[in-house]
Amino acid sequence: MKRRIPALLGIGIACLSCQPATGATASGHVRTVGRPERSVVATIVFAEPLEGQSPTRPGRYTMTQRNKMFMPRVLAVPAGSTVGFPNEDLIFHNVFSLSRPSPFDLGLYRAGSSKERIFSEPATYHVFCNIHPQMAAVILVLPTSYITEPDAAGAYRLDLPPGRYRVTAWSERSQPVTAELNVSSGSVTVPELTLDESRFVGLPHKNKYGQDYPKTAYDPLRDRKF
Ligand SMILES: [Cu+2]
């Protein structure tokens, strides 16, 4: 499958080229409702085998801290993958998550340095910086390597070995939506998946102590001290 350029969209994808020796190409479409025009929101599609265990293929991925943002904002990786968090700004940053089952805090670290973490357990990790409340990201750790990102029109393809699968469409503004699929050979069409983002409300998050960020956290003059 041709590799796209997810970094430009603020979206990270773990596996865009899972080519099975035999099997089928599953094609589908994700419809999104309730998403404001021109808003850039990552949509992820992944397929989990329902029969037997398909071993994931962990890899190394990067979520960069740049211009007081995490880039990409959404990163989907197979369980067991390592994610590096290089600090490319001229100020200190932190990376923490309070998400279960494995909350973590990589500490405060300076410009030009990096920390990394192995994400062993499948979960949705909401990732933040304890200094800058505007820095927010999601790392989707999945029990599969069959992961892709629909194109701007919502179309996607996944190359899958034979078997039964649960296909899930995910965005951080919607409940995930699933469909089951039998794959034999040739091509197969996944039923349309509709993500309803109309009830999404963006709320401020807490710092790593579970408290509100200090008002000074928004002051750019304060950042220049680092
Ligand atoms: Cu920061």
Side-chain angles (χ1 to χ4, degrees), residues 4-226:
R4 288 186 285 269
I5 312 172
L8 293 177
L9 300 174
I11 297 165
I13 290 298
C15 180
L16 290 172
S17 56
C18 303
Q19 301 288 345
T22 58
T25 297
S27 304
H29 178 260
V30 178
R31 192 166 73 94
T32 303
V33 298
R35 180 180 296 180
E37 264 187 62
R38 292 189 295 276
S39 62
V40 178
V41 180
T43 300
I44 303 294
V45 173
F46 56 93
E48 300 165 83
L50 293 176
E51 295 164 342
Q53 279 289 66
S54 168
T56 59
R57 283 167 286 183
R60 296 187 68 87
Y61 302 90
T62 300
M63 177 172 276
T64 302
Q65 300 163 319
R66 188 186 304 148
N67 298 327
K68 284 189 263 184
M69 290 189 296
F70 288 112
M71 300 174 68
R73 177 181 168 86
V74 172
L75 180 64
V77 304
S81 293
T82 301
V83 180
F85 298 91
N87 178 356
E88 295 189 358
D89 277 335
L90 298 175
I91 55 178
F92 276 70
H93 284 305
N94 161 253
V95 184
F96 79 92
S97 176
L98 300 178
S99 299
R100 295 178 186 280
S102 301
F104 65 90
D105 179 6
L106 300 186
L108 195 63
Y109 55 101
R110 66 180 63 249
S113 60
S114 183
K115 296 284 183 76
E116 65 179 32
R117 184 180 190 275
I118 298 173
F119 288 84
S120 301
E121 298 184 74
T124 302
Y125 293 89
H126 295 272
V127 173
F128 306 109
C129 169
N130 199 51
I131 305 174
H132 304 108
Q134 67 270 48
M135 293 177 68
V138 179
I139 298 177
L140 200 58
V141 180
L142 299 169
T144 178
S145 295
Y146 304 117
I147 306 168
T148 192
E149 171 204 346
D151 64 18
Y156 66 88
R157 295 190 327 163
L158 280 167
D159 294 320
L160 301 171
R164 288 180 58 238
Y165 293 85
R166 179 172 52 235
V167 180
T168 301
W170 178 98
S171 94
E172 62 178 307
R173 295 188 176 187
S174 168
Q175 291 294 315
V177 180
T178 65
E180 291 197 10
L181 187 68
N182 282 308
V183 171
S184 53
S185 61
S187 60
V188 60
T189 302
V190 186
E192 184 174 72
L193 299 167
T194 300
L195 292 172
D196 182 358
E197 299 183 348
S198 60
R199 279 174 284 186
F200 170 77
V201 178
L203 295 173
H205 62 272
K206 304 293 186 185
N207 68 13
K208 69 181 183 182
Y209 304 109
Q211 300 169 343
D212 290 335
Y213 283 75
K215 287 194 172 62
T216 52
Y218 293 92
D219 185 351
L221 292 174
R222 180 174 179 269
D223 290 333
R224 288 182 197 158
K225 294 176 185 174
F226 293 105

